[in-house]
Amino acid sequence: MKHLILLFSGLLIGGLAIAQEAPIASTGGVKVVKDPRLDLLIRKQIYINTLAIRNQPGFRVQVISTNKRNEANDIKARVMQLYPDYRTYMDYQAPYFKVRVGDFKSREEAAELREKLSDNFPGGVFVVPAIINVSPEKEAGNEESY
């Protein structure tokens, strides 16, 4: 009797094991259910990566380095009036306020602006290395011109 029960239970368990594999083999694949929030995370990561690419090493033209905030603000306003096509930045590196102009990938491009600025600002205008902001419009314009 014990042998008969063992044989019957063995056949039953074996039949159940085969029944579990049958639907996968009959459909021809595995169905994967993906959370739709993953697509949102992927788009967000792509956006973050493109921002990281926009901040690249490059050069800016430094117009003044002073420890007087008002003087730096006045120079920045004057540069913005004379050269509205270039972005103007005021950085604070204790104890100095530095007014810098432009976002250039090469030193030669920055040197051209330095020549123009040195006529209006005789105190000393220098090309300095900096992390620049490359706008996507500017990148697209450069790619189209090639």
Side-chain angles (χ1 to χ4, degrees), residues 37-107:
R37 294 178 294 177
L38 286 174
D39 291 330
L40 179 65
L41 287 173
I42 290 170
R43 283 194 302 266
K44 190 179 281 189
Q45 187 63 45
I46 290 170
Y47 176 72
I48 290 169
N49 290 344
T50 56
L51 288 179
I53 292 171
R54 290 182 192 148
N55 295 329
Q56 300 176 355
F59 299 93
R60 289 193 176 137
V61 179
Q62 182 171 305
V63 179
I64 191 171
S65 178
T66 181
N67 57 0
K68 299 173 185 165
R69 181 190 295 254
N70 291 336
E71 184 181 2
N73 280 330
D74 293 342
I75 295 292
K76 181 180 177 185
R78 191 167 152 211
V79 169
M80 290 172 72
Q81 287 176 346
L82 293 172
Y83 299 96
D85 295 340
Y86 297 101
R87 288 189 65 183
T88 306
Y89 304 91
M90 187 167 69
D91 299 330
Y92 178 70
Q93 295 174 351
Y96 298 106
F97 295 93
K98 300 178 180 190
V99 176
R100 295 179 175 173
V101 183
D103 293 309
F104 301 102
K105 288 186 176 183
S106 70
R107 186 176 289 272

